[in-house]
Amino acid sequence: MCGINGVVSLQPILEPRRIIQQMNRLVHHRGPDDNGTWVASSQNLAMGMQRLAIVDINTGYQPMLIDNLALVFNGEIYNYQYLKKFLQSKGLSFVTESDTEVIIQGFKYWGIAVCQHLEGMFAFSLYDQNTKQLYLARDINGEKPLYYTIGKQCCIWASELKSLKYAYQELLGELPPINPEALYLYFSLTFIPAPFSIYQSIAKLEPAHYLQLDTTLMQYKKVAYWAFSSAVAHDLTYSQAQKQIQTLVTESITQQLQADVPLGVYLSGGVDSSIVASIAQANRPHKASIKTFSVGFENPHFDESKRAQQVANYLGTQHHCFVLTYRQLAEEIEEVILHFDEPFADSSALPSYFLAKNTRQYVKVALTGDGADEVFGGYNRYAMPYYGAKYRQIISSEKYHRRLKSFLSQLPFRGKLHRFLEAVGGSSQEDILQVGTLGFSPLVLSSILKSNWHIPSLFLSQQLSEYSPYSVLQQARYWDKSIALEGDMLTKVDRTSMMASLECRSPFLAKSLWEFTHQLPDDYLIYQGKHKRILKETFADRLPSGFFNLPKHGFEVPVGQWLSHELQPELLRLTSMDFLLNQAIFDALPLQNAIRSMLHYPGYYSFKLWSLFCFQKWYEKNY
């Protein structure tokens, strides 16, 4: 696991090694074990990395140079041993035991199509000194980040924005401006999805894509190297599908237990992490029980630590629970918020960092249950299009729909019915779009953003339209994969774990599982209200009886409560009249009125309030 950086220009770069070394220092947390730089003889291209040594600790140094190919790579290739044996059978010889070299030797055999053969999480830059072509590539889920900017004279890329911004200012002498469309997406979603970043001239490479740059002309093309095949159901009975799921899940978890350093499992007490812990414990590479880690909360409404302890006791793992209080987080809230380098308002980043920081005291790698909800249909919101269609049959008139919403808005409480009525749209695709946008509605954004900053984006609806040939459930899952998984969940996990120099792995995000579940009938995933049906029923015998029937909890913290109490003075300072007038992004009075209204129901409006708080903290630091 690493942080990678690079620059290339049409002209020789002044002090390229110094620039790369500083880019490396800014992401030291991503790889404190080692660092390296490489500068081409022409002085117009340089690459660097910070290394967190996990596999082949003694010989996997980077940048790696073999036969005029130079590579820096962030991530883990889980099938590298299989690929290495295949490539050796084709006459290619290896000088290290690392997965890094497998990418180089694979490139020599397949070209950039090597990406199609890699099972793992990765972002890499590879430069071919013979052809003067630079390749940037990212894994199919976007587990590892990769930002880039390409101008007429130069290209800069990096794992984190802080490095790229530094080089941008060094080479171009300015700070990139805010992108109004990205701003609109942020306040709609509470995060910014690829290919956008908060900056106008900086992009994120999308998952399952590579970028090929001709460094002699500064011309490039971007190519998707993987996508779902057309949706054809497997001709499998349910029991046959269960056997295949058992094989694929077990293989993925077992494969990801490979490491030359101590390894453990995040155990929240939920279904997904409990399955991972169970299989990891049964297939652990050493005699000692696997270590498991969870975070507990003082507030019992958010606390699942007892369930995690029960699972750990049942499995016989070495369990560690870290109890989180507001006092423990108070001094680090701002540091965590700002670590993302752009506005990011998933409040579960706070306990995620707390868990990573404490877990790092015991292990260097942690397996997680992330991705199972997307792959197996676990989110409650996946039922939204179904219930939305039923609702539209009953309430067929838009007039009655508005009247019902108006009536409920007068009641002194907010709950699931309010959320449902706010989300339900005129079609199933609108339902998916609205239930997936946790931030402000288009109507509210039009009232609080100044006209020059109110740039509505069609990006989300365009993404959803690409999935129209699929079933409604598949559309919802794939929309999550392309938008929320990369932009929110995996961004949160990567930044908070790397902030603590901990590697997190997500076995449920294996390509083989995506491809297999993509072809299953919908009722294998959700049936009679049971979400993740095939996953739960396949592994029901591994955990206590009735465990899978327990209610689902999210990994949440009470930010609504904090913003109405401990953090309210800071929220009000950041949205004061003077601050807003100087900022000139928001219409001050409508925004202040909206905040006062939302603070009456801070729990219900926590996503919106937190997105404002995080944006203002980011803006204050950067502008």
Side-chain angles (χ1 to χ4, degrees), residues 65-91:
L65 286 89
I66 297 176
D67 297 338
N68 287 313
L69 297 174
L71 173 75
V72 287
F73 154 61
N74 170 27
E76 299 289 350
I77 306 303
Y78 303 125
N79 65 338
Y80 79 98
Q81 293 178 338
Y82 166 80
L83 293 176
K84 181 177 180 179
K85 289 179 182 177
F86 173 83
L87 293 167
Q88 286 174 324
S89 74
K90 299 299 181 181

Side-chain angles (χ1 to χ4, degrees), residues 85-98:
K85 289 179 182 177
F86 173 83
L87 293 167
Q88 286 174 324
S89 74
K90 299 299 181 181
L92 292 156
S93 57
F94 287 73
V95 295
T96 75
E97 297 299 321
S98 69

Side-chain angles (χ1 to χ4, degrees), residues 317-543:
T317 67
Q318 301 177 51
H319 191 61
H320 304 268
C321 179
F322 315 110
V323 179
L324 174 61
T325 67
Y326 175 79
R327 291 182 299 278
Q328 289 171 305
L329 264 185
E331 296 180 359
E332 295 181 313
I333 287 177
E334 183 168 330
E335 182 182 0
V336 174
I337 290 172
L338 297 178
H339 182 72
F340 287 83
D341 299 330
E342 62 181 341
F344 182 81
D346 186 336
S347 61
S348 63
L350 300 172
S352 294
Y353 171 63
F354 179 79
L355 177 59
K357 181 176 70 170
N358 284 280
T359 297
R360 185 62 177 85
Q361 299 174 30
Y362 299 88
V363 297
K364 209 170 182 178
V365 178
L367 273 62
T368 80
D370 295 329
D373 287 314
E374 290 83 359
V375 172
F376 290 98
Y379 291 123
N380 291 330
R381 65 175 179 267
Y382 290 157
M384 173 65 190
Y386 170 81
Y387 290 114
K390 293 293 185 185
Y391 174 81
R392 283 186 288 273
Q393 289 176 358
I394 299 169
I395 309 294
S396 56
S397 167
E398 177 66 24
K399 179 176 69 174
Y400 292 129
H401 174 59
R402 288 198 304 269
R403 284 182 179 179
L404 182 54
K405 286 180 68 173
S406 177
F407 169 72
L408 286 172
S409 68
Q410 308 303 314
L411 299 179
F413 61 85
R414 296 290 185 274
K416 292 182 178 179
L417 185 55
H418 279 87
R419 285 196 174 94
F420 174 82
L421 290 175
E422 286 183 352
V424 69
S427 67
S428 295
Q429 284 206 338
E430 286 183 34
D431 293 341
I432 294 168
L433 184 62
Q434 294 190 58
V435 81
T437 50
L438 298 176
F440 293 96
S441 69
L443 182 63
V444 173
L445 286 176
S446 69
S447 69
I448 65 174
L449 288 172
K450 286 186 173 295
S451 58
N452 58 317
W453 285 101
H454 182 246
I455 311 295
S457 175
L458 298 176
F459 172 73
L460 299 178
S461 56
Q462 288 169 347
Q463 285 290 111
L464 190 55
S465 68
E466 294 181 10
Y467 303 127
S468 55
Y470 302 138
S471 73
V472 173
L473 174 58
Q474 285 178 316
Q475 289 180 51
R477 289 170 59 222
Y478 303 156
W479 192 86
D480 265 355
K481 182 188 181 300
S482 61
I483 302 295
L485 188 63
E486 179 276 335
D488 184 358
M489 172 72 77
L490 297 177
T491 296
K492 173 192 69 181
V493 172
D494 174 80
R495 302 306 190 280
T496 57
S497 61
M498 288 284 88
M499 191 176 175
S501 303
L502 176 77
E503 175 178 304
C504 281
R505 300 176 175 179
S506 304
F508 287 118
L509 290 176
K511 188 193 305 181
S512 58
L513 283 168
W514 270 119
E515 291 175 341
F516 185 72
T517 59
H518 166 75
Q519 299 178 68
L520 294 178
D522 286 353
D523 61 4
Y524 284 18
L525 304 181
I526 300 179
Y527 182 68
Q528 295 183 344
K530 180 184 288 186
H531 292 253
K532 289 185 289 197
R533 174 197 179 193
I534 196 168
L535 180 67
K536 292 177 179 179
E537 293 181 356
T538 298
F539 294 101
D541 61 343
R542 285 189 165 272
L543 292 157

